[in-house]
């Protein structure tokens, strides 16, 4: 998902370099990093907390992409693959969080 975010943002206007481009890329990286960091924690409770942060970052990505579409920086067609991947990541995170909740 992170690579897809970078591919989408590379074509955005340079005036957005320190705005949407930076925010979207950081949020996408945050998803992967929080999953990785949480997996190294010593308890399911800690892991779940990092997964919740990752899920929040995934929703942040979604909001930023929808904003880009709304202000016509990208088209829905250009974001379709990223949005599909993002939805899949959100679903997987939600299911994993739910399973960790059931264990506690």
């Amino acid at each position: 998902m992170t690579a897809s975010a970078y591919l989408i943002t590379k074509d955005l206007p340079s005036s957005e370099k320190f705005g949407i481009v930076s925010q979207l890329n950081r949020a996408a990286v945050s998803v992967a990093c929080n999953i990785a960091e949480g997996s190294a924690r010593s308890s399911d409770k800690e892991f779940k907390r990092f997964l919740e942060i990752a899920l929040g970052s995934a929703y942040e990505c979604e909001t930023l992409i929808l904003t880009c579409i709304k202000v016509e920086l990208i088209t829905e067609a250009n974001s379709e693959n990223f949005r599909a991947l993002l939805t899949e990541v959100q679903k997987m995170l939600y299911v994993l969080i739910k399973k960790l909740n059931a264990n506690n």
Side-chain angles (χ1 to χ4, degrees), residues 79-89:
S79 69
E80 191 174 296
N81 289 337
F82 179 73
R83 290 171 57 208
L85 182 59
L86 183 57
T87 298
E88 191 63 29
V89 168

Side-chain angles (χ1 to χ4, degrees), residues 24-85:
L24 181 57
N25 289 337
R26 286 185 290 126
V29 168
S30 177
V31 172
C33 288
N34 276 293
I35 294 168
E37 186 174 350
S39 70
R41 295 299 170 148
S42 60
S43 71
D44 284 353
K45 183 177 179 180
E46 287 182 288
F47 184 29
K48 183 180 75 109
R49 180 67 188 128
F50 279 89
L51 293 176
E52 290 168 340
I53 294 167
L55 184 58
S57 294
Y59 279 105
E60 183 179 356
C61 288
E62 182 178 22
T63 300
L64 289 161
I65 286 295
L66 293 174
T67 299
C68 286
I69 293 167
K70 188 76 172 173
V71 299
E72 299 179 350
L73 292 174
I74 59 174
T75 64
E76 284 194 46
N78 288 348
S79 69
E80 191 174 296
N81 289 337
F82 179 73
R83 290 171 57 208
L85 182 59

